[in-house]
Amino acid sequence: MLNTDIKEVATQIKNKELVKERRRQIVDAAVPLFIERGYHKTTTRALAQATGLSIGSMYEYISTKDDVLYLVCIAIHAEVEEAVKQALGRELVGKAALAEVIREYFLVCNRMSDHILLMYQATHFLPPKWQKKVLEAELRITDIFIKAMRKLKSKGMLPELRDDTINLMGHNISVLGHTWSFRRWYFAKNFTIEQYIEQQTDFIMRFLVENPD
């Protein structure tokens, strides 16, 4: 899980809360720098200056610039998982529960639009072991939607959709959240995030209800 992923980035600091706080500080400073200057052109000196830490202090929490990019990706997944966990804990049932999960996911995609954009632009720069873990985390998020739809199907609240159709729709939901980030330059001028959520959720629900296999 994500906590394990984060622990795999080496640190010299024993205080877990301090590590979490500083790494979030580094991540939030890194995202605009990487987007503005490019991943390779952003120096560790510039990154340290943006975080307000000395280079030596920053290296107590990360070992390489690749670690920072990896932590950006993991920060997205951690926030999504926490938001979805809270949504699943609310007293909602059936399609309303799925709609709430989608809503929270889209809201995270809105809050972390720059992080998501950077993840797609720069993940291929990561070492293979980090790329693999980022993709695994992406699939865990998608699996939340798939499991929610399968649960609705088992309770008779969705048509008898085939598993491959549910699987495809789970990936569609994941991509629709990211699409807000990719095309924010257009969507933000024409929709509020609430309007986007409402219309996309309606599209998803209509497909699920009106397209039995």
Side-chain angles (χ1 to χ4, degrees):
M1 296 302 290
L2 294 179
N3 284 339
T4 302
D5 293 340
I6 292 170
K7 287 177 183 176
E8 289 188 6
V9 177
T11 178
Q12 303 172 31
I13 306 299
K14 303 300 182 184
N15 186 325
K16 294 180 181 179
E17 285 304 312
L18 181 59
V19 170
K20 182 179 178 181
E21 179 184 339
R22 288 288 182 265
R23 283 182 171 174
R24 187 55 187 259
Q25 182 180 343
I26 293 168
V27 162
D28 289 343
V31 169
L33 277 180
F34 287 163
I35 289 175
E36 178 186 352
R37 303 184 184 186
Y39 175 66
H40 287 303
K41 291 184 179 179
T42 300
T43 64
T44 52
R45 183 178 297 279
L47 184 54
Q49 288 175 344
T51 63
L53 300 171
S54 68
I55 292 179
S57 294
M58 188 175 70
Y59 275 118
E60 291 180 336
Y61 301 96
I62 53 127
S63 298
T64 67
K65 197 167 65 173
D66 287 343
D67 287 350
V68 179
L69 181 56
Y70 173 67
L71 289 172
V72 169
C73 299
I74 294 305
I76 299 167
H77 300 132
E79 189 139 341
V80 169
E81 287 194 348
E82 179 59 29
V84 168
K85 179 181 176 182
Q86 291 182 13
L88 291 172
R90 293 175 190 141
E91 294 183 3
L92 296 170
V93 295
K95 291 186 286 255
L98 176 60
E100 187 70 3
V101 168
I102 293 170
R103 170 183 165 75
E104 289 297 336
Y105 170 63
F106 282 11
L107 286 174
V108 171
C109 290
N110 178 49
R111 290 196 301 272
M112 304 191 79
S113 286
D114 287 342
H115 295 62
I116 291 168
L117 193 60
L118 177 63
M119 179 178 71
Y120 275 88
Q121 289 175 342
T123 298
H124 63 283
F125 293 134
L126 288 172
K129 69 170 184 176
W130 285 159
Q131 288 186 31
K132 182 174 183 289
K133 287 189 173 294
V134 169
L135 293 176
E136 287 172 351
E138 276 288 299
L139 290 176
R140 283 203 300 270
I141 300 300
T142 302
D143 198 47
I144 292 171
F145 308 131
I146 293 171
K147 286 179 178 177
M149 287 184 283
R150 284 177 178 165
K151 187 174 182 180
L152 287 175
K153 176 185 170 183
S154 70
K155 292 184 176 182
M157 295 178 181
L158 286 179
E160 286 299 312
L161 298 168
R162 298 200 314 264
D163 280 348
D164 62 340
T165 301
I166 290 176
N167 182 56
L168 180 60
M169 202 60 196
H171 284 271
N172 284 346
I173 293 169
S174 182
V175 171
L176 284 172
H178 291 172
T179 299
W180 173 266
S181 303
F182 301 150
R183 299 190 71 84
R184 182 179 50 180
W185 57 270
Y186 173 81
F187 287 136
K189 295 177 183 177
N190 295 276
F191 302 91
T192 65
I193 183 61
E194 293 294 345
Q195 289 170 331
Y196 183 83
I197 291 170
E198 180 181 356
Q199 293 190 40
Q200 293 289 18
T201 303
D202 182 63
F203 165 75
I204 293 164
M205 294 303 183
R206 285 179 183 274
F207 176 87
L208 291 174
V209 172
E210 296 175 5
N211 290 275
D213 290 326

